[in-house]
Amino acid sequence: MADRELFEGFALQAVDQKGRVAIPADLRAAAERNSDIRQIVVGLHPEDPCLSAHDLSWSKEKYDRIDRKERLAEERGGEADTRAKRRAFGLVVKAPFDDSGRFVIPPFFRMKAGIQKWAFFNGAGETFDIWAPEALLKGEKADPGLREICEYLCQSKGVKL
């Protein structure tokens, strides 16, 4: 993990009718440094009403972490979360991206997150989130700082939601 590039920063990106959107340059650069393959893994965020994405090399680290938790639980006589790997690896889609970072948001996940004409991206360290700006701005539990940044970006780009 020490040599991995972290996902940092934020951006508001236009989404076309087919669900194509460009990963913001800083996030794309991190994904490209972390993996030789231009693909991201996209799934639902475990807590927030948005998507969570990461580069392919993070999948292996994520597997190792879940596996360690299972072994520790067994060693302590507890029960492991038998669904953790299913959620982490079965409820995701790999999405290739081109040189400019454009990829198609998987349709099921696009629908679940409510992403329409705009997508708000924010780095989260090992992963990055993709929000429907409408959901973020109306979310009572959403981070106030993220809401403020998203609102500012919408205003500065003349986006009316």
Side-chain angles (χ1 to χ4, degrees), residues 1 17 26 30 51 65-66 69 95-96 101 107 111 119 126-127 140 149 156 161:
M1 167 70 195
Q17 289 183 345
D26 288 345
L51 304 179
R65 287 181 180 198
I66 294 169
K69 284 182 183 178
M111 180 268 305
E126 295 100 354
T127 64
E140 294 176 16
I149 290 168
S156 68
L161 303 172

Side-chain angles (χ1 to χ4, degrees), residues 6-151:
L6 296 176
F7 293 104
E8 300 175 302
F10 56 86
L12 182 67
Q13 303 287 86
V15 180
D16 74 11
Q17 289 183 345
K18 294 180 180 180
R20 289 180 298 220
V21 64
I23 302 168
D26 288 345
L27 301 177
R28 182 181 73 242
E32 290 175 336
R33 283 191 287 272
N34 289 338
S35 179
D36 294 335
I37 300 171
R38 283 195 171 139
Q39 278 188 336
I40 56 171
V41 178
V42 180
L44 296 174
H45 190 281
E47 297 168 13
D48 291 322
C50 66
L51 304 179
S52 181
H54 59 80
D55 57 86
L56 288 180
S57 68
W58 180 245
S59 292
K60 175 70 172 125
E61 176 67 26
K62 185 167 57 169
Y63 180 87
D64 290 344
R65 287 181 180 198
I66 294 169
D67 204 48
R68 271 194 302 275
K69 284 182 183 178
E70 286 179 354
R71 285 196 312 271
L72 280 172
E74 289 172 4
E75 289 171 6
R76 294 179 178 159
E79 291 197 25
D81 181 355
T82 58
R83 296 180 179 171
K85 288 178 183 166
R86 181 184 313 148
R87 287 189 306 270
F89 303 102
L91 302 178
V92 296
V93 174
K94 291 180 182 177
F97 61 90
D98 66 16
D99 292 349
S100 63
R102 286 176 55 92
F103 75 102
V104 175
I105 301 172
F108 173 77
F109 293 117
R110 183 178 178 199
M111 180 268 305
K112 288 294 285 182
I115 296 171
Q116 296 172 19
K117 294 181 180 183
W118 294 93
F120 177 77
F121 288 75
N122 72 284
E126 295 100 354
T127 64
F128 59 92
D129 300 334
I130 309 169
W131 288 84
E134 300 88 344
L136 178 57
L137 293 175
K138 292 177 185 173
E140 294 176 16
K141 294 182 182 179
D143 182 292
L146 284 182
R147 280 201 314 258
E148 185 176 23
I149 290 168
C150 184
E151 186 174 86

